[in-house]
Amino acid sequence: MLYILLSDQHEQPLYQQLYIQIRDQIRNGNLTNGMRLPSVRTLQVQHNISKTPIETAYQMLTAEGYVVSKPRSGLFVVTPYKHVIASIPDTEVYDLSRKITSNPHIPTSVKHADFIDFDPTALDHDAFPIRTWNKMLKEALESHSSMIGNYGNPQGEQGLRAVLADYLRNSRGVYCSPEQIVIGVGMAYSIGILTKLLKDTRSVAFEEPGYNLVRDQFLLNGCEVLPISVNDKGVSLAALEESKAQIVYVTPSHQFPTGSIMPYPERERLLEWANARNAYIIEDDYDGEFRYLGKPIPSLQSLDTHGRVIYIGTFSKVLTPALRMNYMVLPPKLIEQLSNMPHEVLYAPSRVEQWAMQSFIEQDNWYRHIRKVRNLYRKRHHHLIGLIQNHLGQHVEITGQNAGLHIQMAVKKCKTTKELIDSAAEAGVKVYDFQKMWMNQHPVHYPKLYLGFAGLSLADMETGIRLLQKVWFME
């Protein structure tokens, strides 16, 4: 049974109270696997609150994999582990923009105290500029002390949006005014806004495979999701043109999870499709700063001359997912619609953190940090590729390795993905299968696994690959 106790006097907003209480009840076993959560309407009546905080909490739980949405049935609890996960302080809410749930195939009987974890979501925690960020926070409080007693612009602080517009223009070729930018608290929040702005457009084409937590947000908001296959040039444009979709979600600079990159001709064709159909393209540029071969690829939005691209980016991959801050660039027509939406639909992140981020960018710390981590992760990327080539050789095939913070690896062995993951776990190594990125069953010639490299040292990478070599090909 679900127990909820909300307080208007609590320092946390209602949506966060709901999220934390439901999350903790799932973790401690009070809410068991497969249990259906109450509907939004039910909780709204029970607690006499608006539906917005309930929807937001449910979106956050879905984004983090605690619940799964089943069309026309509701939300259901997912608890793959029997053990209780260590609790997280209630004051923390993790970034939802690119969180991947733990691999369900890791057996609970693993004897290793510490895994070598090729987690595709992990970053190098030592690379975070703690002293500089502390300085920015202090300066933000001191220089904006007269504004502490006021709520900010729900679309985001004007100063941050102004410096962000300059950065996007210079680095990603995104041309926009500060008024087109919406500062958000994660991908779930941004998708929620879009589904309200495009409420009359319910058919959404989605990459197959694609980022399941974004896909679930569309389903949660009542959209029909149409899976469109992905090839080595990104989403299949032929299949898209045959669909009835009025919106398409794509990751053209580094397709998630396959790593394919959409070439320029396909980008132009995609824009032509959107213009001819009066449709919108949602461009998720989640790790556009990281490209290791060739010149950086301009954003799809930079080619758009008809206002058909909605551009979404994040600070999570470069700086830290703990910040929970992303941004969305809306075409002018949608900005007009946004101004007519109810005020409570928008809620920007902490003003203090926005002021700090503004100073971080203005004082060139952002650019220095990007250069630092780009070089750091390029070194780790090349090192991992070399290790795989040296130790796994012709037994595997690497794809999607030119950008981003993870690679896709096909293992040429007559084993299932689960068997490979289980044997790796027994050896003390975590690798990932991303099966949830598919909506439909798909035949595979060889099992495909995904390895992240940003959060591992060079030594741990080598140990991990050598263990995989031993357990997969030498026993």
Side-chain angles (χ1 to χ4, degrees), residues 338-352:
L338 187 71
S339 63
N340 296 322
M341 291 180 68
H343 180 77
E344 62 269 15
V345 171
L346 296 176
Y347 46 92
S350 156
R351 297 189 79 188
V352 176

Side-chain angles (χ1 to χ4, degrees), residues 13-14 44 52 158 174 218 258 297 340:
L14 291 176
Q44 185 180 4
T52 299
Q158 175 68 24
V174 173
F218 284 113
T258 67
I297 298 175
N340 296 322

Side-chain angles (χ1 to χ4, degrees), residues 184-451:
V185 292
M187 180 59 80
Y189 170 76
S190 297
I191 296 301
I193 291 176
L194 289 178
T195 56
K196 293 177 176 64
L197 284 173
L198 304 172
K199 60 183 178 180
D200 297 327
T201 306
R202 310 313 294 171
S203 295
V204 180
F206 207 88
E207 297 170 327
E208 174 80 342
Y211 186 43
N212 67 309
L213 300 184
V214 175
R215 184 178 67 225
D216 289 346
Q217 291 306 310
F218 284 113
L219 292 171
L220 183 62
N221 283 278
C223 296
E224 178 188 13
V225 174
L226 310 173
I228 305 295
S229 62
V230 168
N231 54 41
D232 60 353
K233 296 182 179 179
V235 67
S236 170
L237 297 177
L240 176 63
E241 290 164 350
E242 293 176 0
S243 75
K244 63 179 180 179
Q246 290 295 113
I247 306 172
V248 60
Y249 168 88
V250 292
T251 50
S253 294
H254 187 230
Q255 200 280 328
F256 188 85
T258 67
S260 63
I261 296 171
M262 183 178 288
Y264 176 76
E266 280 68 23
R267 292 179 181 231
E268 286 287 0
R269 183 176 167 187
L270 178 57
L271 289 168
E272 290 172 2
W273 168 84
N275 189 42
R277 193 171 292 197
N278 198 30
Y280 284 102
I281 302 166
I282 300 173
E283 177 184 13
D284 185 353
D285 198 23
Y286 68 99
D287 61 0
E289 288 86 359
F290 300 111
R291 180 165 171 79
Y292 308 114
L293 296 176
K295 296 180 180 179
I297 298 175
S299 66
L300 186 63
Q301 195 267 4
S302 68
L303 305 174
D304 179 24
T305 58
H306 296 92
R308 309 316 309 174
V309 176
I310 300 162
Y311 178 90
I312 301 179
T314 180
F315 295 109
S316 296
K317 286 298 182 182
V318 172
L319 194 58
T320 169
L323 187 60
R324 291 195 69 243
M325 189 184 299
N326 75 328
Y327 47 87
M328 178 167 57
V329 178
L330 296 176
K333 183 178 179 181
L334 293 185
I335 283 294
E336 294 177 10
Q337 294 178 220
L338 187 71
S339 63
N340 296 322
M341 291 180 68
H343 180 77
E344 62 269 15
V345 171
L346 296 176
Y347 46 92
S350 156
R351 297 189 79 188
V352 176
E353 291 182 340
Q354 289 187 71
W355 294 329
M357 180 58 73
Q358 177 186 338
S359 297
F360 193 73
I361 297 174
E362 286 177 333
Q363 299 180 29
D364 290 334
N365 293 305
W366 173 251
Y367 298 93
R368 283 193 291 269
H369 183 69
I370 287 178
R371 289 193 295 270
K372 172 185 174 181
V373 294
R374 186 180 284 149
N375 290 333
L376 174 66
Y377 296 150
R378 178 184 290 111
K379 181 178 180 180
R380 294 186 182 182
H381 165 270
H382 293 345
H383 189 69
L384 177 60
I385 298 295
L387 288 170
I388 292 174
Q389 292 173 340
N390 290 337
H391 298 292
L392 305 184
Q394 300 302 313
H395 296 296
V396 301
E397 181 181 358
I398 304 171
T399 53
Q401 71 271 32
N402 294 335
L405 300 177
H406 75 273
I407 63 167
Q408 177 179 264
M409 185 174 72
V411 181
K412 300 176 182 179
K413 194 168 184 179
C414 295
K415 295 280 187 179
T416 66
T417 303
K418 182 180 184 303
E419 288 172 333
L420 291 172
I421 290 174
D422 284 350
S423 60
E426 288 292 344
V429 183
K430 281 188 179 182
V431 293
Y432 296 77
D433 65 6
F434 285 3
Q435 289 296 320
K436 291 183 179 180
M437 305 304 153
W438 296 83
M439 282 191 72
N440 303 318
Q441 295 293 325
H442 59 289
V444 292
H445 184 54
Y446 292 119
K448 292 182 179 179
L449 299 171
Y450 298 85
L451 283 71

